[in-house]
Amino acid sequence: MKKLLFQFDTDLHPSVFDTVVAYDGGADHVIGYGNLHPDNITGLVEGAIFTRPPKDKKNTAIFVGGSDMIAGQQLFEAVQKHFFSGFRVSVMLDSNGSNTTASAAVAKMATSFAITGKKAVVLAGTGPVGQRAAAMLTQEGAKVSLTGRKLARAVQACSDIKERFGVDVTPVEAFDNTARAEAIAGADIVFAAGAAGVELLGEDQWRHNKHIELIVDANASPPAGIAGINLMDKGIERHGKIVWGALGFGALKLTLHRACIAKLFEDNKQVFDAENIFALAKELA
């Protein structure tokens, strides 16, 4: 009985990255579908849940991805609405790698630093990874602020976090490096979650800040999101601060992603979203 993973992507083309990791996680075949939304998945989900007998349904699973977290969350929920009684398969959400990336980063942070009670700022945090990281840091006991180039986007992101996770994150407008430097003035933790190739802070804007104790840069494409942080930094000390680069916690991200895929095939009732992906990340870290 082959392990089949159906990749439901909200983008036009299913993610190559997610496809490769799915194979590495143990899927025998990965079948990708793009441009999916709640209104066009009925036949696909029914094909997945009706074809195999109960004892073999564990060998079919659905992975929901794409670059848009809100669209991914809606698709993820819509998939599960088609399940009933014993007719269901395991399903995972990881739009833009947000759940696995944020989980791996925050889990690694927690291995080298006590997060509870600290003030954290997620720079350029309106995207999927930033929102998930902000929520997880808050759940770990930090007081979190989230910056966006426009206040309206930061407010909307914090509202989305509140609706999804029930936690409060403070929105901050920070449209350039100078404004972001002001936003982290009293922070203990700085998490950079900006777009690839965009520098959010110059090195001089953080190295002399005596409050900062921990910095994470999730940008894996040059230039670094935070100048002076190396991609391979793994909880090392720079200028008196603990620092993590994107590839420093990236190994855990890939291990976590593969582990989640493997668990999808343990039975047909697995549901992997931010909370249990983060819990697994902390175990693996």
Side-chain angles (χ1 to χ4, degrees), residues 49 52-59 86-88 268:
I49 65 177
R52 287 173 160 173
K55 67 181 181 68
D56 292 326
K57 289 188 190 300
K58 68 179 183 180
N59 294 302
F87 292 88
R88 60 176 298 140
N268 69 321

mmCIF file of all heavy atoms in Angstrom, residues 49 52-59 86-88 268:
data_model
loop_
_atom_site.group_PDB
_atom_site.id
_atom_site.type_symbol
_atom_site.label_atom_id
_atom_site.label_comp_id
_atom_site.label_asym_id
_atom_site.label_seq_id
_atom_site.Cartn_x
_atom_site.Cartn_y
_atom_site.Cartn_z
ATOM 1 N N ILE A 49 -10.794 10.443 0.631
ATOM 2 C CA ILE A 49 -11.388 9.787 1.812
ATOM 3 C C ILE A 49 -12.233 8.559 1.477
ATOM 4 O O ILE A 49 -12.473 7.722 2.355
ATOM 5 C CB ILE A 49 -12.234 10.778 2.632
ATOM 6 C CG1 ILE A 49 -13.445 11.270 1.847
ATOM 7 C CG2 ILE A 49 -11.374 11.943 3.103
ATOM 8 C CD1 ILE A 49 -14.361 12.195 2.645
ATOM 9 N N ARG A 52 -10.034 4.146 -0.045
ATOM 10 C CA ARG A 52 -9.371 3.054 0.661
ATOM 11 C C ARG A 52 -10.182 2.597 1.865
ATOM 12 O O ARG A 52 -10.882 3.410 2.484
ATOM 13 C CB ARG A 52 -7.965 3.491 1.093
ATOM 14 C CG ARG A 52 -6.995 3.571 -0.088
ATOM 15 C CD ARG A 52 -5.654 4.151 0.278
ATOM 16 N NE ARG A 52 -4.649 3.781 -0.719
ATOM 17 C CZ ARG A 52 -3.402 4.249 -0.739
ATOM 18 N NH1 ARG A 52 -3.003 5.137 0.168
ATOM 19 N NH2 ARG A 52 -2.548 3.848 -1.661
ATOM 20 N N PRO A 53 -10.090 1.301 2.216
ATOM 21 C CA PRO A 53 -10.827 0.803 3.385
ATOM 22 C C PRO A 53 -10.278 1.414 4.667
ATOM 23 O O PRO A 53 -9.158 1.947 4.683
ATOM 24 C CB PRO A 53 -10.592 -0.710 3.336
ATOM 25 C CG PRO A 53 -9.315 -0.866 2.568
ATOM 26 C CD PRO A 53 -9.323 0.234 1.557
ATOM 27 N N PRO A 54 -11.031 1.363 5.756
ATOM 28 C CA PRO A 54 -10.617 2.012 7.008
ATOM 29 C C PRO A 54 -9.202 1.706 7.448
ATOM 30 O O PRO A 54 -8.465 2.616 7.846
ATOM 31 C CB PRO A 54 -11.651 1.493 8.010
ATOM 32 C CG PRO A 54 -12.870 1.273 7.177
ATOM 33 C CD PRO A 54 -12.361 0.753 5.870
ATOM 34 N N LYS A 55 -8.765 0.466 7.375
ATOM 35 C CA LYS A 55 -7.437 0.095 7.853
ATOM 36 C C LYS A 55 -6.324 0.680 6.998
ATOM 37 O O LYS A 55 -5.174 0.775 7.446
ATOM 38 C CB LYS A 55 -7.296 -1.428 7.915
ATOM 39 C CG LYS A 55 -7.304 -2.115 6.575
ATOM 40 C CD LYS A 55 -7.192 -3.619 6.733
ATOM 41 C CE LYS A 55 -7.185 -4.323 5.379
ATOM 42 N NZ LYS A 55 -5.948 -4.024 4.618
ATOM 43 N N ASP A 56 -6.659 1.091 5.785
ATOM 44 C CA ASP A 56 -5.631 1.610 4.873
ATOM 45 C C ASP A 56 -5.685 3.122 4.667
ATOM 46 O O ASP A 56 -4.851 3.685 3.964
ATOM 47 C CB ASP A 56 -5.746 0.926 3.505
ATOM 48 C CG ASP A 56 -5.382 -0.549 3.553
ATOM 49 O OD1 ASP A 56 -4.480 -0.888 4.353
ATOM 50 O OD2 ASP A 56 -5.987 -1.337 2.817
ATOM 51 N N LYS A 57 -6.654 3.780 5.279
ATOM 52 C CA LYS A 57 -6.767 5.231 5.088
ATOM 53 C C LYS A 57 -5.565 5.992 5.644
ATOM 54 O O LYS A 57 -5.306 7.129 5.234
ATOM 55 C CB LYS A 57 -8.061 5.759 5.727
ATOM 56 C CG LYS A 57 -9.324 5.338 4.986
ATOM 57 C CD LYS A 57 -10.537 6.042 5.532
ATOM 58 C CE LYS A 57 -11.823 5.454 4.967
ATOM 59 N NZ LYS A 57 -11.924 5.544 3.498
ATOM 60 N N LYS A 58 -4.836 5.368 6.564
ATOM 61 C CA LYS A 58 -3.646 6.028 7.110
ATOM 62 C C LYS A 58 -2.571 6.242 6.050
ATOM 63 O O LYS A 58 -1.636 7.015 6.258
ATOM 64 C CB LYS A 58 -3.074 5.210 8.269
ATOM 65 C CG LYS A 58 -2.482 3.870 7.856
ATOM 66 C CD LYS A 58 -1.904 3.125 9.048
ATOM 67 C CE LYS A 58 -1.258 1.816 8.622
ATOM 68 N NZ LYS A 58 -0.696 1.081 9.788
ATOM 69 N N ASN A 59 -2.701 5.575 4.922
ATOM 70 C CA ASN A 59 -1.706 5.704 3.856
ATOM 71 C C ASN A 59 -2.039 6.821 2.865
ATOM 72 O O ASN A 59 -1.352 6.967 1.852
ATOM 73 C CB ASN A 59 -1.566 4.368 3.121
ATOM 74 C CG ASN A 59 -0.983 3.291 4.001
ATOM 75 O OD1 ASN A 59 0.107 3.439 4.532
ATOM 76 N ND2 ASN A 59 -1.741 2.209 4.197
ATOM 77 N N GLY A 86 -15.857 7.740 9.892
ATOM 78 C CA GLY A 86 -14.542 7.154 9.629
ATOM 79 C C GLY A 86 -13.934 7.605 8.324
ATOM 80 O O GLY A 86 -12.856 7.129 7.929
ATOM 81 N N PHE A 87 -14.603 8.509 7.646
ATOM 82 C CA PHE A 87 -14.126 8.952 6.334
ATOM 83 C C PHE A 87 -13.323 10.236 6.492
ATOM 84 O O PHE A 87 -13.847 11.348 6.391
ATOM 85 C CB PHE A 87 -15.304 9.141 5.379
ATOM 86 C CG PHE A 87 -15.980 7.857 5.016
ATOM 87 C CD1 PHE A 87 -17.013 7.364 5.798
ATOM 88 C CD2 PHE A 87 -15.563 7.131 3.917
ATOM 89 C CE1 PHE A 87 -17.625 6.170 5.477
ATOM 90 C CE2 PHE A 87 -16.171 5.922 3.591
ATOM 91 C CZ PHE A 87 -17.213 5.439 4.373
ATOM 92 N N ARG A 88 -12.052 10.047 6.734
ATOM 93 C CA ARG A 88 -11.145 11.167 6.916
ATOM 94 C C ARG A 88 -9.723 10.680 6.689
ATOM 95 O O ARG A 88 -9.439 9.473 6.725
ATOM 96 C CB ARG A 88 -11.264 11.754 8.331
ATOM 97 C CG ARG A 88 -10.946 10.764 9.444
ATOM 98 C CD ARG A 88 -10.985 11.432 10.803
ATOM 99 N NE ARG A 88 -9.977 12.481 10.876
ATOM 100 C CZ ARG A 88 -10.191 13.648 11.471
ATOM 101 N NH1 ARG A 88 -11.343 13.903 12.052
ATOM 102 N NH2 ARG A 88 -9.226 14.562 11.498
ATOM 103 N N ASN A 268 -5.069 7.852 10.390
ATOM 104 C CA ASN A 268 -5.802 8.764 9.502
ATOM 105 C C ASN A 268 -6.468 9.907 10.265
ATOM 106 O O ASN A 268 -7.359 10.570 9.732
ATOM 107 C CB ASN A 268 -6.857 7.999 8.705
ATOM 108 C CG ASN A 268 -8.001 7.498 9.581
ATOM 109 O OD1 ASN A 268 -7.767 7.070 10.708
ATOM 110 N ND2 ASN A 268 -9.220 7.537 9.070
#
